[in-house]
Amino acid sequence: MKSAIEQRQIQLAQMEIEKYRSIVESDPYRLSYHLMPPVGLMNDPNGFIHWNGVYHVFYQWMPFKTGHGAKFWGHYTSCDLVHWKLEPVALAPSEWFDKNGCYSGSAVDNHGLLTLFYTGNVKDEDGNRHTYQCMAVSENGIDFVKKGVVVTLPDGYTAHFRDPKVWKKDDDWYMIVGAQSESLDGKAVLFRSKNLTQWEYLGAIAGGKQKQLGEFGYMWECPDLFELDGQDVLIVCPQGLKAKGMHYQNVYQAGYFVGRLNYETAEFVHGSFTELDRGFEFYAPQTTLDAKGRRLLIAWMGVPDQDEEKHPTIQQRWIHALTLPRELRLIDGKLHQVPVEELQKLRKNEIAYTNVTVANEEISLEGISGNVIELKFDIHQLEGMIEMQIRNNARLIYHHDERVLTLERKSFVNGLTEKRQCRLEHLLSLHIFLDTSSIEVFVNGGEEVFTARLFPYPSNHSIVIAANGKCIFDITKWNL
Ligand code: FRU
């Protein structure tokens, strides 16, 4: 059973949902098919799992304000990754080991029990941070009982030690934790267990000043480690990387290393760091393996400390959302992300044009418009520059000669144009998902992805295509 304090916390959060329901629901920027909080602030996805035929996504949740604080675990379930149901709160801060927040973590199936691992965040009377890796279990996947602390802080690290991701390999359980060493380098730290309650510290498998890395940020958050196509992929969110050309443009980064983990020696030999997303808002991704054998990823469509207090939805008592679930593939050592195929269920009113030519002009095509739509744009021929203007708020621009793809948007802070870019040898296709206040662009079958929040005038649904030079393409649109 939950403690009286935890029950009371959950009751207060529930009251907050009821109190502001109509305000949140009347927001024109309220998302139509992305996960967002019922009220308050949502950040990282947690405990992503396909369990007994049901997909579960928990999320970091602050019900009482649109800022960060003592986090709860909110909870959504789905049978198809498309239609989601808001479930009762899974965890609320309440005990000595998590009183200032049930921070990020993961879920596994342990002999039929849905078992969560999360970070208990604690601030003592002097304002010092303490961290505990904790466990909670559920028989029905809805009601969770806390089992307390399973991992305490090992020597050599500061209390910035959090976000346990747990998985099974052969007969052993492994846990990877995001950490900061006492020398203030970001690290990913590995543990092993036979029973999920006693954990053996194996060491930092990757981090700043380790192997070929050199300085690589002062903290690594939200690690995830999994096997894909015969390789081991380590996802981490380093904080403290300096912007470098088109890279590391956001306040904090989310990316991965591909390599090989020796589970015996806990040595991870890996290549260089690659960003997962090239847009403005993407952080703290988490993956799971589903019953179909797919490696799925979902992320926070936000970045900590990146103009969060300027989001227009704050007036409507909510902030942030999660990305679409995506399927991962490793192609030539690079992660590709494609939206899960189940999303096709949302398609209505298909409108398609084939072999459209735009040459030194801008056009809009009858029926190719909307605010909650999916667009497929396939290029047959391109000379010069092609651009797509979206709702008079964002532009996707590809310069073939410079081999650069750009996403521009009007900043929600000051209305000025800001951009994110990546190098791209050829632009072959764009697969775009627009929601009332978001965009996800999958480039060339997921070779690059741009994820961002957009806040256009709600009534503007225009899509304009322009070419400086010549472009021949097919385009299909569905309302979602
Ligand atoms: C990442 C993060 C995690 C932490 C959680 C707190 O956004 O800072 O490291 O567990 O958010 O909400």
Side-chain angles (χ1 to χ4, degrees), residues 43-44 60 68 71 103-104 162-163 221-222 283-284 300 304:
N43 56 304
D44 317 352
Q60 287 288 285
H68 293 270
K71 298 288 168 59
Y103 275 11
S104 285
R162 54 179 172 263
D163 314 333
E221 294 190 315
C222 300
Y283 197 69
W300 176 24

Side-chain angles (χ1 to χ4, degrees), residues 425-442:
E425 222 26 57
H426 294 284
L427 179 62
L428 305 172
S429 68
L430 297 172
H431 190 182
I432 302 173
F433 285 80
L434 285 184
D435 204 334
T436 49
S437 57
S438 72
I439 184 168
E440 282 155 284
V441 185
F442 299 87

Side-chain angles (χ1 to χ4, degrees), residues 189-227:
V189 177
L190 191 66
F191 293 83
R192 178 166 47 211
S193 174
K194 286 274 178 218
N195 56 16
L196 292 174
T197 52
Q198 290 150 305
W199 291 89
E200 178 195 355
Y201 169 79
L202 299 177
I205 61 157
K209 307 207 189 98
Q210 238 172 287
K211 297 245 155 56
Q212 73 271 35
L213 272 191
E215 295 265 346
F216 215 78
Y218 56 81
M219 169 67 190
W220 285 12
E221 294 190 315
C222 300
D224 193 345
L225 202 154
F226 53 89
E227 194 179 320

